Amino acid sequence: VTSTLVGMNFDFQNTTDFYVALAKECTELQVSVDQFICSSGYTDIATLGQLSTKTGGRLCYYPGFSITCISDCERMKSDVLNIMTNIKAYEVAMKVRVSEGLSVGGIHGLGLETSTITQRDIPCLNEDSSFNIILEYNNDLPEESSDAYIQVSFLHTDMNKRRIVRVINYAMPVVTSLSAVFRYADVHCVCNSLLREYSSMTQKKSL
């Protein structure tokens, strides 16, 4: 499903509830929504974007788009081509499992939570999709020589209509030195996680 929205003004609370409800309905029907927004004025991208984020789609924003501008047209053409040709997985059921001592504090990414915070339903995933999984621990983890584990499984339908399970396993070394955490931390991943976390907070809390 592709929708083209031209600069419109909405009441924040009502439209937020509307798009969240619409996203839930689309997810239940396994419909993914891609949006191409061409606007010359203010557009509430944060609100509109929930529809694409929760259904596994993409939002492409072209501020001041002009049909006579070659660069604008080429950019839209490239985005449409990328969306249409990307390798995709459909009807995705995602589940996260962790080893003893750890718990999942949240998942930032595409899809809607189902019965628990560790499970998500996503109508469509493409090869560029990514997730941030926030891990928490309340109990002592094993000694430094041990590893902590996380498993992410995806039950999905591939482009050949086959139902497939893909399982990704990670082993993470447990350290006792805080300096080791900072030494081996992926700065780009940390920044991305913080941005996603604060972005999700803006949908729940007023400024």
Side-chain angles (χ1 to χ4, degrees):
V1 177
T2 301
S3 60
T4 303
L5 304 174
V6 182
M8 304 173 68
N9 293 321
F10 303 100
D11 175 73
F12 178 77
Q13 188 59 49
N14 290 338
T15 53
T16 298
D17 295 341
F18 169 77
Y19 283 108
V20 170
L22 181 58
K24 183 177 181 181
E25 183 178 352
C26 289
T27 300
E28 292 174 349
L29 298 173
Q30 300 298 340
V31 174
S32 178
V33 181
D34 295 315
Q35 300 182 70
F36 299 88
I37 302 180
C38 307
S39 173
S40 58
Y42 171 76
T43 305
D44 190 354
I45 299 297
T47 300
L48 298 175
Q50 293 186 70
L51 182 58
S52 295
T53 300
K54 295 182 184 302
T55 61
R58 279 185 55 185
L59 185 148
C60 300
Y61 180 42
Y62 312 94
F65 180 87
S66 174
I67 192 66
T68 60
C69 179
I70 296 178
S71 61
D72 286 350
C73 295
E74 287 297 321
R75 181 185 167 197
M76 178 178 281
K77 176 183 175 181
S78 176
D79 289 337
V80 172
L81 182 63
N82 180 265
I83 289 173
M84 298 299 293
T85 59
N86 247 338
I87 297 174
K88 297 178 178 65
Y90 302 100
E91 301 174 339
V92 180
M94 172 184 175
K95 185 174 180 62
V96 180
R97 299 177 178 89
V98 293
S99 56
E100 184 178 358
L102 292 175
S103 62
V104 178
I107 301 175
H108 299 300
L110 304 177
L112 280 174
E113 289 182 15
T114 54
S115 56
T116 68
I117 196 172
T118 62
Q119 295 181 232
R120 287 200 162 206
D121 285 339
I122 314 160
C124 179
L125 280 182
N126 63 61
E127 58 188 282
D128 298 322
S129 300
S130 63
F131 297 88
N132 288 89
I133 302 172
I134 308 301
L135 301 179
E136 299 177 347
Y137 68 93
N138 299 317
N139 302 318
D140 291 336
L141 295 178
E143 295 298 325
E144 186 173 355
S145 58
S146 302
D147 290 329
Y149 300 94
I150 177 172
Q151 181 186 83
V152 184
S153 61
F154 296 91
L155 173 63
H156 68 276
T157 302
D158 70 4
M159 299 181 72
N160 295 317
K161 301 180 181 181
R162 298 175 301 179
R163 200 65 175 154
I164 295 175
V165 176
R166 176 168 183 169
V167 180
I168 303 172
N169 297 308
Y170 294 96
M172 303 172 291
V174 177
V175 297
T176 57
S177 171
L178 188 59
S179 61
V181 175
F182 288 102
R183 185 182 305 118
Y184 299 109
D186 186 328
V187 176
H188 298 290
C189 182
V190 171
C191 291
N192 185 278
S193 297
L194 291 174
L195 286 172
R196 291 195 184 200
E197 186 171 0
Y198 291 132
S199 176
S200 65
M201 288 173 60
T202 62
Q203 302 171 12
K204 304 173 184 177
K205 299 181 180 179
S206 62
L207 298 178

